[in-house]
Amino acid sequence: MKKIVVGVVAILGIAALGVPFGSGLVMERMVRETLGNLNTMYTESGQDISAEIVRYDRGYSSSEIEWKIKFGRMKAIYGVDEVVFVERAEHGMSGIVSNTSLEKNSWYTDFVSGRLGGKDPLHITTKFRFNGEVEATVALDAFVFQAEQDSFAVRPGKVMLASDQTFKRFVTDASWEGMDVAGKFGVGGASLKSDLTKISPYIWEGKVSMAAQKVEATEGIKHFDLTNLMIDYLLKYDKDRNKLSASAEYGVDSLNVGAQKIDKVFARTGINEVDGKGYEEFMKLYTATMAALLGDIVAAKDDPAKMNQVIERRMAVIGIQIVAAGEKLLTQGLELRISDLHVQVPEGEIKGDVLLGLKKDMTFAQFIPVVNQPALALEIFTLKSAVSLPEKLVGDAEILFAPVYPGMRGGLFVKDGVNIHHKAEIRDGKLYLNDQEVVLQ
């Protein structure tokens, strides 16, 4: 019996000794597959960004990996060609934990040594779990630095990003105490939360929420002050019908711009029934044209005159291409909506709801006859709108209350005590404005 117990203990001991080595093997496979999936995602979305392993030193209980992301044409935006990461990983029983350094990037190390006294405020930790999940946490310490005449005070922040190994789902949870540029700009209490699932390289489904407790800016005697900003996005995809919808909610407790002040701002916006195939074709073309423009900008970056010529030439072509691709989105049922608009101003409250949709598939050319035959709009659009605002805001603008089209019986707005109101609707093939029919020719 003792021999059996000793044998089992010996086997378990040998197995335990082999766990770190096995974990290292699993991690290497995961890292290589993860970067491969990352490159696939970039390629499928039409970007020339790429990731590659420069060096992989796998040991018994730890590994050191050097890898980099090359930005391709996007360097015109980011200002650097690539970012090099050094991962120092420890092989554990349930997964691998690595600490990431940017020590191989001179642009970063020069900033830390020259502006921050050599104290690196960035701490990146990544967990690789054996079920394929990857979770990265980026923590930022507070730091202060001087740039020309301005002093920047950056407060602590933290970002957690989790994904499956195939990058089908991303979960983000970020918070930041903010920053101040002495006497010019400040932001405090910012946060970001998201949970997104990839349907295709250009179609995602899920939620994104952003918030900021305070945003301030001063330029000369002008002052901008925003309190409790809130933005929520919701993306939906109907697989059976291949239709997309996106909605957003915006909220602000108060906004001061100079002497102007508004309170309790809230609004919902949305776009519904977007054709999935048309949207993907539009995004593919947009991505390709923007990539080509960035490539030209990079090539001409040292010649301002040439760059202006490149931009003018490219923008003319891009405009035509984008219009052609945009027609694929003009399908029956497409709907734009602004709802539950509420704004409190010193003169009173502004409220509004607007819905505009398409009754049939259209091209841009098919809208042209509407200019001379407005009645055609009744066959093309769905419309329902209602707006109310204080009369003091418009003053003596009598044009709002007088007919501006021969078929109108009144103006766009009607007076109602201290407020003015607007209501319009296309119903039963007719346009009604403030409950009176408008006769269109």
Side-chain angles (χ1 to χ4, degrees), residues 422-439:
H422 159 89
K423 184 168 65 173
E425 183 179 7
I426 294 178
R427 185 176 71 246
D428 300 326
K430 299 177 181 179
L431 173 62
Y432 292 89
L433 177 62
N434 299 321
D435 296 321
Q436 297 186 19
E437 183 183 353
V438 177
V439 180

Side-chain angles (χ1 to χ4, degrees), residues 83-132:
V83 177
V84 181
F85 303 91
V86 178
E87 304 274 355
R88 294 182 173 90
E90 298 294 328
H91 307 162
M93 299 290 290
S94 59
I96 296 94
V97 178
S98 76
N99 292 303
T100 305
S101 169
L102 299 180
E103 64 195 52
K104 295 286 187 177
N105 302 276
S106 59
W107 53 267
Y108 183 73
T109 56
D110 290 347
F111 173 76
V112 172
S113 61
R115 300 291 181 91
L116 305 183
K119 186 177 181 180
D120 190 348
L122 199 60
H123 310 282
I124 306 173
T125 303
T126 306
K127 297 178 181 179
F128 297 86
R129 295 189 174 88
F130 293 145
N131 63 0

Side-chain angles (χ1 to χ4, degrees), residues 152-304:
F152 291 76
V154 180
R155 294 190 285 274
K158 187 175 183 179
V159 178
M160 186 281 293
L161 175 63
S163 172
D164 61 293
Q165 192 175 347
T166 61
F167 297 115
K168 294 290 186 182
R169 184 187 178 202
F170 286 90
V171 177
T172 305
D173 189 349
S175 61
W176 183 35
E177 292 184 24
M179 66 173 290
D180 289 296
V181 181
K184 291 186 177 181
F185 176 78
V187 58
S191 65
L192 168 68
K193 296 180 183 292
S194 68
D195 189 343
L196 297 171
T197 300
K198 185 174 75 170
I199 307 301
S200 77
Y202 299 102
I203 298 175
W204 293 77
E205 187 174 47
K207 298 179 180 179
V208 180
S209 298
M210 296 181 288
Q213 294 178 0
K214 193 80 171 177
V215 179
E216 292 181 279
T218 300
E219 182 178 355
I221 61 173
K222 295 181 180 179
H223 187 75
F224 172 92
D225 186 326
L226 182 149
T227 303
N228 289 336
L229 169 68
M230 175 277 294
I231 306 175
D232 288 332
Y233 295 101
L234 179 62
L235 308 174
K236 293 183 178 180
Y237 175 68
D238 186 330
K239 180 179 178 181
D240 295 333
R241 299 169 56 243
N242 195 21
K243 294 288 186 179
L244 315 173
S245 65
S247 60
E249 290 187 0
Y250 304 89
V252 173
D253 278 359
S254 66
L255 174 62
N256 299 320
V257 182
Q260 303 297 318
K261 180 180 180 179
I262 59 177
D263 295 303
K264 303 300 181 183
V265 180
F266 181 83
R268 291 187 178 95
T269 63
I271 178 169
N272 302 317
E273 295 294 299
V274 178
D275 181 72
K277 182 180 178 181
Y279 176 76
E280 288 194 290
E281 291 181 8
F282 175 84
M283 289 304 300
K284 286 178 183 177
L285 178 61
Y286 176 81
T287 302
T289 53
M290 289 298 105
L293 175 61
L294 287 174
D296 288 344
I297 290 175
V298 171
K301 65 179 180 179
D302 297 324
D303 188 341

Side-chain angles (χ1 to χ4, degrees), residues 358-411:
L358 287 179
K359 292 181 179 179
K360 58 184 180 180
D361 296 352
M362 294 291 292
T363 66
F364 287 114
Q366 289 174 313
F367 288 111
I368 296 176
V370 177
V371 176
N372 295 319
Q373 296 176 277
L376 294 176
L378 303 177
E379 303 172 6
I380 298 173
F381 297 108
T382 56
L383 170 67
K384 191 169 185 179
S385 64
V387 178
S388 173
L389 63 153
E391 185 179 357
K392 290 182 180 179
L393 283 179
V394 300
D396 298 327
E398 289 300 324
I399 190 173
L400 296 177
F401 311 104
V404 294
Y405 180 79
M408 294 173 58
R409 300 181 185 179

